[in-house]
Structures are given as C-alpha cells and as structure tokens.
Amino acid sequence: METVEQLFLRYEAIAKVVSEMLGAARADQWSALIQLQEQYTQLVDSLRPVDATFDLDEGQRVRKHELIRHILADDAAIRDLITPRLARLSALLASSRHTRALQDMYGVKSRSGT
C-alpha cells in the first residue's frame, strides 16, 4: 500500500513531465514531446487506481489541487502551442488530398511516381 507522500511523488512526477512537454513544445521538439506524452500517460495510468484510496486532510487536499492546477495550466499552454500547428498540418493534408484527387481525375502522375 502506498503512502500519501508516495501519492504526491506521483503527482509531482506528472507535473515534471508536463513541464518538460511544454518546454519541448516551445522548442518545436515534437519527437521529444511525443516520448514525454507516453511517459505522462503511463504515470497517469499508474495514479488512477490509487488516487481515490486516500482520505486527505485539508493541507494535503490543497497541495493536491495546487499540483493539479499546475499540470492543467501547462497542459493548456501545450494545447495553445499545438493547436495552430495541427490546423496548418490539417490544411496541408487536405491540400495534398485535393491535389492527389485532381491528379487522379486528370490522369496526371505525381512526381514521386505513385
């Protein structure tokens, strides 16, 4: 059985990974961001079964809520950085599909030979 301190160590590990994810997003290090997201998912999955098993006192609840607010703030900042890039990528993919459809319609081969 875990102690309350071990629970907080899990939350702090999640906060650290999310902070690193934000740094990776700001530095346009998308491969690093994806790897960190995998770590984040593993940490959250390991937290879920034990989180609700603790009766926290007022100070511990405040500490938990502060950690969660920090995690959510970094997560929102990551989404703010990623959303415009995903929109541009989506537009590029749509344009590529449109170009391919036109090429197929008019029998034009692409430059790559596909």
Side-chain angles (χ1 to χ4, degrees):
M1 181 152 168
E2 272 192 25
T3 66
V4 171
E5 194 53 40
Q6 289 170 321
L7 175 72
F8 283 113
L9 288 174
R10 286 179 189 248
Y11 272 105
E12 289 165 0
I14 291 169
K16 181 179 182 285
V17 169
V18 173
S19 179
E20 291 172 3
M21 290 170 61
L22 178 55
R26 286 179 174 153
D28 291 330
Q29 296 174 342
W30 304 111
S31 295
L33 179 64
I34 290 167
Q35 291 174 353
L36 289 165
Q37 184 178 14
E38 291 171 6
Q39 289 178 27
Y40 167 81
T41 300
Q42 291 172 356
L43 287 167
V44 169
D45 288 346
S46 74
L47 175 68
R48 280 190 180 118
V50 297
D51 185 41
T53 63
F54 290 95
D55 288 324
L56 302 176
D57 64 32
E58 183 61 27
Q60 292 167 333
R61 279 194 299 276
V62 168
R63 182 177 174 195
K64 179 180 172 181
H65 288 283
E66 287 173 359
L67 285 165
I68 291 171
R69 275 195 295 269
H70 175 75
I71 291 165
L72 292 176
D74 282 355
D75 181 69
I78 292 166
R79 279 185 273 117
D80 288 346
L81 291 167
I82 290 175
T83 300
R85 287 181 168 88
L86 287 176
R88 283 194 301 273
L89 179 60
S90 179
L92 285 171
L93 290 173
S95 175
S96 177
R97 282 191 296 268
H98 180 70
T99 300
R100 184 171 295 235
L102 287 173
Q103 288 172 339
D104 290 346
M105 185 184 308
Y106 290 104
V108 178
K109 291 186 179 184
S110 68
R111 293 182 193 185
S112 65
T114 58

